[in-house]
Structures are given as C-alpha cells and as structure tokens.
Amino acid sequence: MTNSPTPSGSGHEGRPAPEGDGGRRDGHPEHAPAVPVAGSGESARLPGEWRASRRHTNPGPAAATRRDGTNGPAAATDRVTGSGTGTGTDEILSPLADGAELPPDPREDHTDGTKSPKSPGRTVHSVRSRDPGGQVLDDHSGHSVGTGPGPGTPARATAPLRPGDGPARPRTGVWLIGARGSVATTTVAGAAALAAGLHPPTGMVTETPPFAGSGLPPLDGLLFGGHDTAGCPLPKRAEALAEGGVLPHGLPAAVRAELAAADAAIRPGGPQPGDTRSDEELITDFAADIGAFIEDHGLARAVVVNVASTEPAPGPGDDRLPPSSLYAAAALRAGCPYVNFTPSTGLHHPALAGPAAASGLPYAGRDGKTGQTLLRSVLAPMFLQRALTVRAWSGSNLLGGGDGAALADPAAAAAKNAGKERVLADTLGTVPEGEVHIDDVPALGDWKTAWDHIAFDGFLGTRMVLQTIWQGCDSALAAPLVLDLARLAAAAHAAGMSGPVPGLGFYFKDPDGGPSGLSEQWRDLLSLAERLGADA
C-alpha cells in the first residue's frame, strides 16, 4: 500500500543504546550516531535531544467538570489523563461541541446515588460517572479516544477509575507520515471507533487471543499526530471517505473530536517546491516536531509510521535523501521506533544503514501486504509444497485515489512491483515469467481490483491455470495493520528490542529478513507475541 511525504496519497506508504554509551532504558540514547547527509560531506547528528517523557503531569490547565458541578482547571481527583492520583470517579472526555449549552434539567449522577444540578450556561463536556467498582452509572456524552488534545480540547481518562488507582499509564504516540491521507484518516477514525466500542476490531491481528498478554498499548491510549504537506483537515477528509463508502456513514461525525485533535497535531511536511532547507535542516525540523509531540503530551514513546504515497527509488546520481529517508532519519534522531508501510526507501538508504543499526531502536518494513501479495504469499508455498511447477505468474492492478495517481509514475510503480516479485523469488527460488501491471483508474477511488493468472504444470506435464481476483478497499485493508504495527513496535521498544523486529515480516511484501511464506511468518509473529508477553 502507499501514501506521500509530499502530498498525501490514499495508501501507505527500543532497545537502550549498547552498554557503555549512555543508553537509557526507555530507548532514547544519550548520544546517538550521526546520519551522513548524502553529497554534503556533513553529518546529521542524532543526539538524544528529544526523549519520550515519562513524567506524569497535567499537560495544561484543561477545563474540567468537577463532581460538584463547577468548572475550573483539572484537579487531582478530576482524573484527567496526565494528572491526578486516580482517586476520582468521573472521567473527563472530549467536548460534545464548542460552546454547547446544557439541555433542560441536566443533572449529574454521583457515586453515592444523589444528583445535583449542573451550573447553567457552561460548556458541556462528556462525563461518565462510575460506581466504586468502575461500572458506568450515567454517560452524558458518548465516546472518545486519546488522539492527543488539540487546542481547546481537554485531556481524557483512558481507563475506568477505581478507588486507590495510581497515575494513569503513560500513553503512546503514533506519528504518521502522510497524516492527512486516506490510510492515515481511516487509521485515526478506526482507532476512535474501536476504543469507543462502536465497531468490532475486524482485521486487527493484535486484538486476537494470542496477543492478549503481550503488553501492547491499549487502543484508547494511542495519540495521533504526524507530518503532511496537504491541508485538508482530517474531519473533512473523513467525510469524503464516508461518501465514498470507505468509512461507515455517520462515523466521521461520531469521532469528529478525535479527528480534530489528531489534525491539530499535524505539522507541515516537506520538502515542498521552493523549500531551500538542506537535508540536515529538514531532519532537524522534523525531529523537533516529533520530539515536541512526545514532550507536550508526556508520552511514554511515539512510533513513526510512514503511510505516505510511494516515491520513486533514488537514482545513482541523486545527492539528496528522498523524503521517506528524511523522515526515517528524523525518527532515529527523536529516539522513536520506525515502521515503513510503503515501498519507498526509508531506512533502506545506504546513508542510514549504520545509524539505524547503532540507534538501539526497533524498526520494521517495508511495503504493507494487504491484497495481491498477501495471496501470493499463501499460494506460492502451496505450489512449492505440492511439487507443482509454476511456468508463469502475471498480474494486473486497477486502482484509483492517491495510490493510483502516485503509481502512474513508472518509477514509483517499479518500486512497488519489486516487493511483489520478491515473494515469488524467495519462495519458488526463481522468478517465473510474467509481469505485474498497475493502471490508474481515478473512477475507482479508494477501491482496487487485483487479478493474477498463474500457469503451472501438473502430473505428466499437464498444463493448468489458476486465476484469482481480489477486490478490496485499500484504506480499510491497510488501517488495521497500521494499528497492529504501531502497537507491536511500541511494545518491542518497551521490551528493549532493537533492529528489525522478528515476526513483523508477516505484514510486509519486502520484509527485513525472515521467511516469505505467510504460515511461517505467522509462526514468527506468534513467537514475538510470546516474547513480548514474557517481557511485559
């Protein structure tokens, strides 16, 4: 799947430092190595200037509704995420609407069963009153998810409140490159919907039983931000996706507060036309944005995930890092795990190989496996194990949206197809005859059709053919995998893992090592879940 560091597309794209170098348990090295800037003779220093803060403090004077019905700055017992001692019983959620007035005769439930009038004329906030056992007594608002408080948006509690609770668990950031694209929008809206219980977690592997004890960050503990060069706000983007059938009708309105909060945390990407900044300056600026996001929200850590449109592979004469590699270098500098969900270069640039290995950070990639290649990773081992000789394997992709537009560029399409071919080469030991063609069909929007034609020989040389057709919604296929990868990378970082994360090849066309067959990749992923559970 794909999506862009330059404008957004529709598709996708710690370990402490080694002993003796001042590494920290939270995975942010005190002195990280330099990133050479291609063609400049200079180095982009990767100091641990921006570290995930483990401090548990109120991020600001968020307006809070107290249990006595008054307004004011959040107090300790108001149980706003990032503040307090956890002894209160009301959860402060996101605003219902800016400046909304209370309906007639609203009364607030208290844990002792009494009611008291709320102050007239004040701004309404979502409040859930709970009994001492954590059961909801009255829900005045609906649902919310922690996507990072934007301007004027109160923080929210992320767990039921019980007497004696300690401070809330620090939350995890998800920093999306291509943050206003279709995949990113679907990811943010989907996380909000799942955390609120509006939809089941269909397609999310990390919500299945084998991962229950793996210490993954909860969905309602994820905060979203990112970089993008596009200006369309996430709520408006979500409305367009709902009109196209990508998101359920009514979901954008139900999670508008979460979309707006994430949009407020999106920073300008680049480089854009006319941008005179050097690679070093761009890396520094991008890393500062990520670091400020971590620090401002008191996050335990943030995972950088590239879901931008596919970019062409750099040519032999290119003396600048491609945008995906600039963002990858910024992730290293900010001390963040990195996931490349696109076929773009990212950490695979030669200038970043050394710094990535020395960073002590976990990373994964590349190119999310959501449709045609997912089928190939199942079918190719089948032919091999049944001793059926594959003579030719041809394919065609029809797709629209930002993905289709980006892949209309032959160089970008070549980068995409390289991952598709690798599955066959690694599994069959050779690349059969045939090619994959990608056609941009704007009328299809975010939907794609993938067709494969497989010619093979059976017993006594009998010639046979298998044809497959995959029709799917690109963003809906990609978004649950993005959430899986962000949670798994965060847990790997917390467990002190570094380098390519074993088991995450399950999600990629072009994985950083490991087997190519889906069943073997699944076993490796289950082993990762067990390892994370042992370290949790």
Side-chain angles (χ1 to χ4, degrees):
M1 307 290 85
T2 57
N3 207 311
S4 155
T6 332
S8 301
S10 68
H12 343 303
E13 199 257 6
R15 174 181 174 106
E19 290 291 330
D21 67 355
R24 295 155 35 115
R25 174 62 188 172
D26 61 8
H28 303 284
E30 297 290 346
H31 301 288
V35 177
V37 176
S40 69
E42 300 175 351
S43 294
R45 177 59 53 189
L46 297 177
E49 297 173 71
W50 302 283
R51 302 187 179 92
S53 172
R54 293 184 179 275
R55 294 177 300 171
H56 187 72
T57 58
N58 188 352
T65 305
R66 298 195 181 102
R67 288 189 301 282
D68 62 4
T70 63
N71 283 335
T77 55
D78 285 323
R79 189 66 167 105
V80 177
T81 297
S83 68
T85 60
T87 57
T89 55
D90 289 344
E91 294 179 59
I92 309 304
L93 307 182
S94 58
L96 294 176
D98 290 340
E101 296 296 320
L102 287 166
D105 193 29
R107 294 189 296 168
E108 180 175 4
D109 288 340
H110 290 283
T111 56
D112 61 2
T114 64
K115 297 179 181 286
S116 61
K118 294 180 179 177
S119 302
R122 62 178 177 79
T123 301
V124 179
H125 290 80
S126 302
V127 179
R128 286 178 178 173
S129 300
R130 296 181 181 269
D131 66 14
Q135 182 177 357
V136 176
L137 296 175
D138 190 18
D139 188 341
H140 298 283
S141 66
H143 309 283
S144 181
V145 65
T147 49
T153 303
R156 77 177 293 275
T158 58
L161 307 175
R162 296 176 175 84
D165 277 357
R169 180 179 180 179
R171 293 172 292 176
T172 298
V174 181
W175 190 262
L176 300 168
I177 309 303
R180 290 193 172 109
S182 296
V183 169
T185 305
T186 306
T187 298
V188 175
L194 297 185
L198 300 178
H199 288 273
T202 305
M204 281 197 66
V205 176
T206 53
E207 285 294 293
T208 59
F211 299 85
S214 297
L216 306 181
L219 288 169
D220 67 353
L222 301 179
L223 283 81
F224 295 88
H227 281 115
D228 209 320
T229 58
C232 180
L234 286 180
K236 187 173 183 64
R237 180 69 163 164
E239 291 171 2
L241 291 175
E243 290 174 4
V246 178
L247 295 178
H249 180 72
L251 182 62
V255 298
R256 185 176 182 84
E258 288 79 8
L259 291 166
D263 192 73
I266 296 174
R267 298 294 174 259
Q272 300 192 59
D275 196 331
T276 60
R277 288 175 292 178
S278 67
D279 285 356
E280 160 63 10
E281 291 171 327
L282 287 162
I283 294 168
T284 298
D285 290 346
F286 295 157
D289 291 337
I290 300 168
F293 175 68
I294 294 170
E295 188 71 21
D296 290 348
H297 299 295
L299 304 177
R301 59 187 48 80
V303 179
V304 176
V305 186
N306 183 11
V307 290
S309 293
T310 302
E311 66 189 17
D318 292 342
D319 60 355
R320 296 287 302 265
L321 291 175
S324 64
S325 296
L326 295 172
Y327 291 115
L332 297 182
R333 181 172 295 188
C336 295
Y338 174 79
V339 175
N340 188 1
F341 203 72
T342 81
S344 300
T345 305
L347 283 180
H348 282 239
H349 196 283
L352 300 185
S359 68
L361 294 166
Y363 51 87
R366 61 184 169 168
D367 198 4
K369 182 167 58 185
T370 62
Q372 185 177 41
T373 310
L374 178 64
L375 279 178
R376 289 182 168 206
S377 67
V378 174
L379 294 176
M382 178 197 74
F383 285 108
L384 180 68
Q385 292 159 11
R386 289 295 301 271
L388 299 172
T389 302
V390 176
R391 294 185 293 107
W393 200 315
S394 303
S396 181
N397 278 251
L398 307 177
L399 69 164
D403 240 3
L407 294 173
D409 179 348
K416 183 79 169 178
N417 285 336
K420 293 178 179 289
E421 291 179 357
R422 179 182 167 183
V423 174
L424 301 182
D426 287 355
T427 304
L428 302 176
T430 184
V431 179
E433 292 181 7
E435 298 179 348
V436 175
H437 297 275
I438 300 176
D439 295 320
D440 178 25
V441 184
L444 292 179
D446 204 57
W447 301 80
K448 67 179 180 182
T449 297
W451 171 73
D452 267 4
H453 182 284
I454 308 159
F456 65 98
D457 289 340
F459 189 55
L460 303 179
T462 305
R463 295 196 166 188
M464 308 182 203
V465 169
L466 171 66
Q467 297 185 58
T468 66
I469 297 176
W470 176 285
Q471 294 178 303
C473 177
D474 209 31
S475 296
L477 289 167
L481 307 189
V482 171
L483 291 171
D484 279 347
L485 285 162
R487 300 173 80 195
L488 289 164
H493 186 234
M497 299 176 67
S498 65
V501 180
L504 295 189
F506 176 80
Y507 292 97
F508 297 105
K509 298 181 182 72
D510 188 16
D512 292 318
S516 296
L518 192 68
S519 60
E520 294 84 3
Q521 291 175 336
W522 172 245
R523 286 197 292 268
D524 286 354
L525 183 61
L526 293 179
S527 295
L528 173 64
E530 292 177 2
R531 177 177 175 182
L532 294 175
D535 293 335

